[in-house]
Amino acid sequence: CYQEALELAREMNYREALPYCLVAVGETAREEKNYREAQVLLEEALEIVREGGEKFKEAEILTSLGKVAVALH
């Protein structure tokens, strides 16, 4: 479901939804221990929310990236 939403957001260039979809798929990847995939997705989401100035979402993504970093080390 999240993967399909991400694909649609990309196809439609729906920038407002894209970071939320990226985080959802990234979090799923992290939970499945696909840490590199999670990192790539979360970093892409972080870049988009920083462009939009969404500080709360930025903090949420940084927290998730921290969890990925801990798991990788």
Side-chain angles (χ1 to χ4, degrees):
C1 180
Y2 292 132
Q3 186 64 43
E4 290 175 19
L6 175 58
E7 290 170 13
L8 282 172
R10 287 190 192 281
E11 285 176 24
M12 297 173 59
N13 196 29
Y14 188 19
R15 298 284 289 175
E16 293 82 12
L18 189 55
Y20 295 90
C21 295
L22 287 163
V23 169
V25 176
E27 281 296 308
T28 301
R30 183 181 62 80
E31 291 169 5
E32 294 174 351
K33 298 183 180 2
N34 296 325
Y35 300 118
R36 294 291 180 197
E37 178 184 357
Q39 182 178 10
V40 168
L41 292 163
L42 292 167
E43 286 176 350
E44 184 180 352
L46 182 62
E47 182 179 327
I48 294 167
V49 299
R50 283 185 168 163
E51 289 172 4
E54 297 179 54
K55 296 296 184 186
F56 183 79
K57 193 67 177 173
E58 181 180 346
E60 178 185 337
I61 296 167
L62 287 170
T63 299
S64 294
L65 281 167
K67 291 176 184 177
V68 169
V70 167
L72 286 171
H73 291 87

